């Protein structure tokens, strides 16, 4: 039986190992959901939690390049340091349905969704698990499915809504309206809140979702859907959780299990002493002869990010580093993660959600409801941590909303697509990006194209406007 369990878990965890797999490509359904993998707590836990390491594995880099940096390049935060066509198409907003990472993100997310669908089905009928373990794992599965659909709907717009494991049915699903996808996300997150525990499954480790993690994503979803009252209330649940606080030392925010971390991914397959992929790809190596930084893989936009910081902002001093090129030009790169390589173990984890975002969510939601003083106080909490003075009490609602946009930009840069998604959801993309990108910018660039391979294998899929 142990050998069968190992085989089944291996099949599950390897289900997303190919970027060519789409919603019509199944895992071994008859074996996967037969119930064997959910006959004891240990194997059931491995089946669900394997997805986290898969998302952050050496082969995928999903949480690093694909989400953190390519979306920032599409916005106005980040530039690739040297020419690489697969990245340049994001910076220059000239994506094609055949673009490599457009296809791999779509494929990865649906592969993860298939795994979670299988886990929801298998766990729902499992009878041999400890009740608390079963509920926690079922809640994590609902949460992760919602998490994946959140990124799909924000990158691609209307997408197939797949909640089962019948690959024949899945392979011909048409695109569901954005509103339907969001309704499914909300339903999954509400289920996760009900099912998961009040504390992390592994004490002190913020690497597996609990109730607060589900509420943190739910508050974001409410914000994106302009449900201001629920966004405020749900963000408050997380802010009022005494496990979390804004870390006053900005150099310690991204440490493993910091007090600000709501959910982090623990690095896996750490090769060459790497801590996180973010640290490895955004922080250049230090020349031991000079003590100076070498060349960073990614650099920050000087005009559209660096110059947007207010004087004396500690985020500029602590989260951004600089270096001169051989031509004497100063370039800037993300320095939220301090460690590129280390021989003393992993001390930083990849930050997926943190408390500062919840303050910013609540600030915007309150301001949108006319609660200007309360919203300004939330913004000031973020500003105080950055060493900045309070905002003026005379600011109007429109001015405060621009202040929210500014704080989100300088606080959340190069983190999980926030800037790119913010410009789209507030309908500010044309006004902000049009002048910067010029002829490279069209309003239809706010959505990725549906991958050509997906359309080829599913005749019911249509293409987004602006793409052929």
């Amino acid at each position: 039986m142990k050998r069968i369990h190992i085989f089944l878990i291996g099949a599950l965890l390897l289900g997303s190992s190919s970027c060519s797999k789409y919603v019509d490509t199944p895992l071994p359904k008859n074996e996967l959901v037969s119930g064997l993998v959910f006959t004891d707590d240990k194997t059931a836990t491995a089946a669900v939690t394997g997805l986290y390491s898969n998302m952050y594995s050496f082969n995928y880099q999903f949480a690093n390049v694909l989400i953190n940096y390519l979306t920032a390049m599409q916005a106005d935060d980040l530039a690739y340091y040297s020419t690489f066509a697969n990245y340049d198409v994001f910076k220059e907003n000239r994506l094609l349905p055949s673009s490599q990472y457009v296809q791999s993100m779509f494929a990865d997310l649906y592969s993860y969704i298939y795994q979670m669908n299988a886990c929801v089905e298998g766990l729902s009928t499992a009878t041999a698990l400890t009740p608390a373990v079963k509920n926690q794992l079922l809640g994590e599965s609902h949460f992760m499915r919602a998490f994946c659909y959140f990124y799909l709907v924000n990158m691609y717009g209307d997408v197939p809504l797949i909640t089962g494991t019948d690959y024949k049915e899945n392979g011909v699903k048409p695109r569901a309206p954005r509103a339907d996808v969001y309704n499914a996300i909300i339903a999954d997150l509400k289920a996760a809140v009900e099912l998961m525990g009040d504390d992390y499954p592994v004490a002190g480790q913020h690497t597996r979702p609990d109730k607060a993690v589900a509420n943190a994503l739910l508050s974001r979803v409410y914000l994106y859907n302009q449900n201001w009252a629920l966004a405020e209330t749900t963000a408050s649940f997380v802010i009022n959780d005494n496990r979390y606080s804004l870390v006053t030392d900005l150099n310690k925010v991204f440490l493993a299990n910091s007090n600000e971390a709501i959910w982090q991914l623990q690095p896996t397959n750490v090769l060459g002493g790497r801590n996180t992929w973010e640290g490895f790809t955004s922080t250049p190596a230090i020349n031991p002869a000079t003590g100076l930084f070498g060349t960073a893989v990614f650099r920050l936009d000087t005009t559209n990010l660096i110059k947007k910081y207010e004087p004396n902002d500690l985020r500029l001093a602590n989260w951004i580093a600089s270096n001169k090129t051989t031509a004497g030009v100063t370039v800037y790169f993300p320095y939220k993660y301090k460690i590129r390589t280390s021989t003393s173990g992993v001390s930083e984890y990849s930050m997926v959600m943190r408390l500062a975002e919840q303050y910013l969510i609540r600030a915007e939601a309150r301001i949108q409801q006319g609660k200007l003083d309360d919203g300004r106080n939330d913004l000031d909490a973020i500003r105080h941590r950055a060493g900045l003075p309070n905002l003026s009490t005379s600011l109007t609602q429109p001015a405060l909303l621009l202040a929210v946009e500014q704080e989100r930009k300088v606080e959340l840069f190069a983190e999980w697509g926030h800037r790119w998604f913010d410009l789209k959801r507030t309908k500010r993309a044309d006004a902000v990006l049009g002048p910067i990108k010029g002829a490279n910018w069209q309003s239809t660039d706010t959505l990725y194209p549906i991958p050509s391979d997906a359309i080829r294998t599913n005749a019911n899929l249509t293409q987004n406007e602006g793409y052929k």
Side-chain angles (χ1 to χ4, degrees):
M1 185 62 72
K2 286 184 178 179
R3 294 177 66 183
I4 294 174
H5 286 173
I6 292 170
F7 170 78
L8 292 171
I9 293 169
L12 180 61
L13 301 186
L14 292 174
S16 58
S17 61
S18 170
C19 288
S20 64
K21 292 185 178 181
Y22 285 89
V23 297
D24 62 330
T25 305
L27 291 167
K29 178 180 183 298
N30 291 338
E31 295 168 329
L32 180 62
V33 297
S34 67
L36 289 176
V37 75
F38 301 109
T39 55
D40 65 69
D41 291 352
K42 184 177 180 179
T43 54
T45 299
V48 174
T49 61
L51 179 59
Y52 310 137
S53 59
N54 199 9
M55 285 176 61
Y56 206 68
S57 70
F58 174 78
N59 293 321
Y60 268 70
Q61 306 176 56
F62 170 81
N64 175 34
V65 172
L66 300 189
I67 299 295
N68 284 339
Y69 294 145
L70 296 188
T71 54
M73 288 171 65
Q74 283 188 284
D76 53 354
D77 287 351
L78 203 66
Y80 188 63
Y81 190 84
S82 58
T83 301
F84 181 46
N86 286 338
Y87 290 172
D88 289 343
V89 294
F90 285 83
K91 178 65 178 175
E92 297 166 7
N93 295 93
R94 50 183 179 84
L95 296 175
L96 298 172
S98 59
S99 294
Q100 176 186 351
Y101 293 117
V102 165
Q103 301 203 88
S104 64
M105 278 190 275
F106 193 86
D108 290 354
L109 285 164
Y110 272 111
S111 183
Y112 301 151
I113 286 168
Y114 188 93
Q115 293 179 58
M116 291 302 98
N117 289 345
C119 287
V120 168
E121 290 180 359
L123 288 163
S124 296
T125 58
T127 58
L129 304 182
T130 304
V133 171
K134 176 178 176 177
N135 285 342
Q136 173 64 30
L137 294 176
L138 193 54
E140 289 183 60
S141 300
H142 280 289
F143 168 81
M144 285 306 303
R145 184 165 66 184
F147 180 81
C148 291
Y149 271 120
F150 174 83
Y151 281 92
L152 276 170
V153 78
N154 278 286
M155 290 190 291
Y156 298 93
D158 299 349
V159 291
L161 183 56
I162 294 169
T163 57
T165 56
D166 186 334
Y167 67 92
K168 292 182 180 179
E169 179 182 335
N170 295 346
V172 295
K173 282 263 189 177
R175 299 170 69 183
R178 172 186 178 277
D180 291 350
V181 178
Y182 264 119
N183 286 337
I185 291 171
I186 291 169
D188 267 340
L189 290 175
K190 286 182 175 180
V193 168
E194 292 298 317
L195 288 162
M196 289 195 291
D198 293 324
D199 208 347
Y200 295 101
V202 180
Q205 290 285 327
H206 299 195
T207 53
R208 282 178 59 190
D210 68 350
K211 193 184 300 291
V213 177
N215 272 323
L217 182 56
L218 188 56
S219 71
R220 186 194 300 176
V221 169
Y222 285 140
L223 184 82
Y224 276 47
N225 285 272
Q226 301 184 6
N227 193 329
W228 312 124
L230 283 177
E232 176 189 4
T233 300
T234 312
S236 293
F237 290 152
V238 184
I239 292 170
N240 294 333
D241 190 321
N242 60 17
R243 294 175 299 168
Y244 308 119
S245 61
L246 294 175
V247 175
T248 54
D249 184 346
L250 289 170
N251 290 308
K252 296 181 178 179
V253 171
F254 295 86
L255 292 179
N257 306 306
S258 78
N259 286 346
E260 189 163 334
I262 297 172
W263 182 37
Q264 295 177 304
L265 292 175
Q266 183 175 3
T268 58
N269 294 328
V270 181
L271 301 179
R274 297 168 190 163
N275 265 230
T276 65
W277 279 109
E278 291 90 339
F280 186 78
T281 55
S282 68
T283 304
I286 297 176
N287 185 327
T290 64
L292 299 176
F293 286 112
T295 301
V297 176
F298 294 99
R299 68 183 182 190
L300 296 167
D301 190 307
T302 303
T303 300
N304 300 301
L305 179 64
I306 302 302
K307 292 183 178 180
K308 299 299 183 183
Y309 280 88
E310 296 174 50
N312 303 315
D313 192 323
L314 295 176
R315 291 169 293 198
L316 179 60
N318 291 278
W319 287 352
I320 294 171
S322 63
N323 183 39
K324 285 189 176 180
T325 67
T326 54
V329 177
T330 299
V331 295
Y332 300 87
F333 54 88
Y335 199 44
K336 289 179 173 178
Y337 297 87
K338 311 299 182 185
I339 302 173
R340 188 175 193 270
T341 59
S342 171
T343 58
S344 57
V346 175
S347 58
E348 295 176 337
Y349 287 175
S350 176
M351 188 76 75
V352 187
M353 289 187 285
R354 58 189 177 96
L355 189 63
E357 184 204 355
Q358 297 300 304
Y359 274 97
L360 292 167
I361 287 171
R362 192 171 71 175
E364 184 174 346
R366 284 173 162 177
I367 293 165
Q368 289 283 8
Q369 295 175 86
K371 302 176 182 180
L372 303 190
D373 290 341
D374 290 339
R376 189 179 61 252
N377 288 339
D378 281 336
L379 290 178
D380 285 340
I382 300 297
R383 291 174 60 82
H384 288 169
R385 198 259 296 271
L388 297 177
N390 288 346
L391 293 168
S392 170
T393 57
S394 66
L395 292 180
T396 62
Q397 185 185 55
L400 282 171
L401 289 174
L402 287 176
V404 170
E405 181 180 304
Q406 164 69 7
E407 289 303 319
R408 290 184 67 91
K409 178 178 176 65
V410 297
E411 177 74 24
L412 301 173
F413 71 89
E415 288 185 52
W416 285 90
H418 284 296
R419 176 63 174 169
W420 177 236
F421 296 160
D422 284 345
L423 291 174
K424 295 198 296 182
R425 70 180 176 82
T426 59
K427 297 180 170 55
R428 292 264 296 150
D430 284 341
V432 172
L433 299 180
I436 295 170
K437 294 176 178 283
N440 284 333
W441 178 255
Q442 298 84 36
S443 296
T444 52
D445 289 338
T446 55
L447 290 178
Y448 291 174
I450 301 298
S452 53
D453 280 358
I455 290 177
R456 177 179 54 79
T457 57
N458 181 355
N460 291 324
L461 290 183
T462 57
Q463 186 55 269
N464 280 326
E465 184 181 357
Y467 301 99
K468 295 181 180 179

